[in-house]
Amino acid sequence: MTLQDLNNRFGVRGQLEFMENPDGLIVVDIENPLASAKLALQGAHLLSWRPRSTSLPVVWLSESAQVLSGKPPHSGAPVCWPWFGAHDDPACPAHGFARNLLWDVVAAESEADGASQLTLHLPAAAVSAAQWPYPSELELTLRIGSTLRMTLATTNCGSESFLLGEALHTYFQVSDVEQVIVHGLEGGEYLDKVENFARKRQSGALAFNGETDRVYVDTEAECVIEDAGLRRRIRIAKSGSRTTVVWNPWQEKGAKMADVGEGWRRMLCVESANAAHNRVMVAPGETHVMAVEYGAEPMQ
Ligand code: TA6
C-alpha cells in the first residue's frame, strides 16, 4: 500500500498519520489527547510512547536511532518472535525475524476516551518465507492512551504443534540506570547471560551497577521501575508471559552499538517474554496471546 492509500484508509485526521522517513520506510505518527507515539511498519516496531501526564517519554527512543530495512534499532519495543535470543542455527537472526519484516496495517481507530488503537498483521506467507517451517501468523494490537497496551497474538495455521519463544523487548527511559530500582522480581530464579546462563536467585529488589542481562523464569509478576532521578514509577503489567528479561549493556557494550552509545545510562529494558523452559507449545488452530500494559505515575 502506498503512503497515500494508508492515510486514506487508516489515517485519523489530526491524530494518526503515516509518514515516510528519509530512508523511504513508513512511520506512524500518533498525537492524541492522551499520548504521543511513533511506530515503524518495519517490524511493527513501536519507537516511542509518552503519555501527556509526563514530560519525558516512557518508551525510549535513542537520539541516534535510525529505522533501516532489516536492522531494528536498539530503541522502542522490538517484537522478538518466534524465538528469543540466539538461534542454534547461526544463519537465523537473533530474536527471530518478525522485527525485520514489513507488517500490514489492518485497522486504526480513535476511541471514545481519545486513545488510538492500531492493529498490525504479519501474514502466514511472510512468515513462511522466513526461516520458520510452521504455517502461522502474528497480530500486534496497540492501544495508545494514558497507558500503553500491546497484545501479541500468535496463531498456528498448520497441522503440527510448535514451541514458541517471544518477547516485547521494551526499552524504558530512565534518568540514570544507576538511580533506578526494579521491584517485582524479588526471590525469583534467573539465568544470568553475563555469566554464561548461570542459574541464580534474586535477592531483594534489583539495582544496577554493571552490565545486566537476566532471564527471570516462571514469573507472571507486575514489575515497577522506581526512578528516583525522574521521581516517577513505571508499571509493567503482563499476561500470557512467564518470563521477564532485564537488560542494560552498560558502558563498554553500549559504546559498541552505534544507536546506543552514551544512551546506555538513560535506558533499561524490562521485557515481557516466554523464553527458556517457559516457551509455549501452540497446538494446530490455537491462538496464543501475550499482552502488556505500561503506565507511569509520579513518585510521592
Ligand atoms: O534481551 C536482552 C538481549 O537478548 C541481550 O542479550 C542483548 O544482546 C539485547 O537483547 C539486544 O539484542 P539485539 O539483537 O537487538 O542487539
Side-chain angles (χ1 to χ4, degrees), residues 136-147:
S136 44
E137 55 185 32
L138 187 58
E139 194 165 272
L140 179 69
T141 302
L142 300 105
R143 188 179 190 282
I144 297 143
S146 53
T147 64

Side-chain angles (χ1 to χ4, degrees), residues 71-75 78 80 84-86 93-95 99 167 169 171 193 197 211-215 245-249 253 257 259 269 271:
K71 189 138 192 6
H74 291 105
S75 279
C80 304
F84 176 80
H95 291 323
R99 61 181 186 159
H169 190 305
Y171 291 72
K193 282 174 83 173
F197 292 88
E211 183 190 353
T212 305
D213 196 350
R214 300 181 178 183
V215 179
V245 180
V246 180
W247 177 60
N248 182 289
K253 284 202 177 154
M257 298 174 204
D259 54 2
C269 288
E271 310 163 30

Side-chain angles (χ1 to χ4, degrees), residues 67-90:
V67 182
L68 300 170
S69 191
K71 189 138 192 6
H74 291 105
S75 279
V79 176
C80 304
W81 186 94
W83 58 85
F84 176 80
H87 194 281
D88 292 343
D89 177 353

Side-chain angles (χ1 to χ4, degrees), residues 1-3 6-7 17-29 38-45 47 65-73 99-103:
M1 241 188 247
T2 65
L3 189 60
L6 284 166
N7 274 315
E17 194 182 346
F18 295 84
M19 296 177 171
E20 215 167 70
N21 80 359
D23 296 289
L25 295 171
I26 294 176
V27 172
V28 193
D29 200 30
K38 278 192 199 312
L39 176 137
L41 298 191
Q42 173 81 29
H45 194 138
L47 296 169
Q66 270 181 292
V67 182
L68 300 170
S69 191
K71 189 138 192 6
R99 61 181 186 159
N100 301 325
L101 297 176
L102 186 63
W103 291 49

Side-chain angles (χ1 to χ4, degrees), residues 216-259:
Y216 289 84
V217 291
D218 305 329
T219 174
E220 295 176 9
E222 173 175 309
C223 285
V224 175
I225 303 176
E226 198 174 283
D227 188 334
L230 290 180
R231 306 287 312 150
R232 86 175 171 189
R233 278 195 196 93
I234 297 174
R235 284 189 187 280
I236 303 160
K238 62 177 189 166
S239 61
S241 154
R242 294 194 35 82
T243 309
T244 296
V245 180
V246 180
W247 177 60
N248 182 289
W250 224 251
Q251 188 163 21
E252 203 183 318
K253 284 202 177 154
K256 289 187 186 141
M257 298 174 204
D259 54 2

